[in-house]
Amino acid sequence: QVQLVESGGGLVQAGGSLRLSCAASGRTFSRYAMGWFRQAPGKEREFVATISWSSGNTNYADSVKGRFTISRDTAKNTAYLQMNSLKPEDTAVYYCAASGMRSVTGYRYSFEYDYWGQGTQVTVSS
């Protein structure tokens, strides 16, 4: 089994920054990508960002492009999400996920991921 543990969430004022971490542990598997998703109250889970584990190529949702940066440290088995210029509409539970499969859609959909973390709350006050 693979465990993903997120950390770094919290309460921040609009315009502020947070850095989320996602540490992976457990059995080794061929990891193709890591991703971040979020779910606000009353809304469906939505794609935020993804990174290729081998190449480091990234992809972002339009709503966060230019403000959020996804990265990974392969030696530490950890993915990160640097969030700058936060807005109240960024308030959500943020989940990291790991994929062990090849994707034809760019890892933008939750069904492409095998393992999920428990989530970390991010609250942005206006």
Side-chain angles (χ1 to χ4, degrees), residues 20-21 31 34-35 37-38 46 51 61 67 89 91 93 95 107:
L20 306 183
S21 298
R31 193 177 322 169
M34 297 283 289
F37 289 73
R38 67 186 182 186
E46 65 174 1
I51 186 166
R67 300 188 298 122
E89 51 263 43
T91 295
V93 177
Y95 298 90
Y107 297 105

Side-chain angles (χ1 to χ4, degrees), residues 2-3 15-16 21 23 25 36 40 43-44 56 63 71-72 87 89 104 106-107 110 112:
V2 174
Q3 291 82 38
S21 298
S25 63
W36 287 95
K43 295 188 177 181
E44 293 187 353
S63 59
S71 62
R72 90 274 192 247
K87 305 175 181 180
E89 51 263 43
V104 296
Y107 297 105
S110 57
E112 298 177 288

Side-chain angles (χ1 to χ4, degrees), residues 45-78:
R45 189 171 299 188
E46 65 174 1
F47 167 76
V48 175
T50 186
I51 186 166
S52 166
W53 197 250
S54 58
S55 69
N57 289 338
T58 59
N59 197 2
Y60 297 91
D62 288 343
S63 59
V64 306
K65 202 172 293 184
R67 300 188 298 122
F68 290 12
T69 302
I70 187 171
S71 62
R72 90 274 192 247
D73 185 329
T74 57
K76 294 183 178 180
N77 262 333
T78 300

